[in-house]
Amino acid sequence: QVQLVESGGGLVQAGGSLRLSCAPSGRTFSSYAMGWFRQAPGKEREFVGSISWSGGNTYYADSVKGRFTISGDNAKNTVYLQMNNLKPEDTAVYYCAARTVRTVVAVTDPRGYNYWGQGTQVTVSS
């Protein structure tokens, strides 16, 4: 059973920074890509960013571009999300996800990921 565990969430003032981490717990696995999504109360889960291990390509939602950075270690299937200049609208539960099967589903689509973490709360106060 593949399990992903997020950490690093918390409460921060607007303009501050947080660094989220996501690491596997349990058996190791190989993935094609890993992504970060977030879900605010009453809203659908939305794409934040992703990293594809082949070529190391990263992709970001327009709302976080220039403020958030994804990095990771393919060998450890560990991924990080550095969040700078946080805004109150970034408040949400953040989830990491892994894509371990080939699929044509876009990396921005949560249906393209088959393993998910439990999420970590990020709260940005104004």
Side-chain angles (χ1 to χ4, degrees), residues 8-38:
L11 173 65
V12 64
Q13 289 188 332
S17 298
L18 284 174
R19 185 175 188 246
L20 304 184
S21 300
C22 173
S25 175
R27 71 174 180 86
T28 58
F29 60 95
S30 297
S31 64
Y32 294 98
M34 295 186 74
W36 286 97
F37 291 78
R38 67 187 182 186

Side-chain angles (χ1 to χ4, degrees), residues 32-125:
Y32 294 98
M34 295 186 74
W36 286 97
F37 291 78
R38 67 187 182 186
Q39 188 166 17
K43 295 187 177 182
E44 292 187 352
R45 190 169 298 190
E46 66 171 356
F47 172 76
V48 174
S50 65
I51 183 166
S52 298
W53 299 124
S54 175
N57 297 321
T58 56
Y59 190 65
Y60 300 94
D62 288 343
S63 59
V64 306
K65 201 172 296 183
R67 300 188 298 122
F68 291 11
T69 303
I70 289 177
S71 61
D73 185 332
N74 186 9
K76 298 180 180 179
N77 273 298
T78 299
V79 65
Y80 308 97
L81 182 66
Q82 177 66 43
M83 305 186 294
N84 297 329
N85 191 22
L86 283 160
K87 303 176 180 180
E89 51 263 42
D90 294 319
T91 295
V93 177
Y94 284 70
Y95 300 89
C96 73
R99 173 185 292 200
T100 65
V101 295
R102 289 189 180 275
T103 177
V104 298
V105 178
V107 292
T108 59
D109 190 334
R111 295 173 298 177
Y113 298 83
N114 51 321
Y115 290 108
W116 291 83
Q118 293 300 308
T120 185
Q121 176 70 47
V122 171
T123 302
V124 184
S125 63

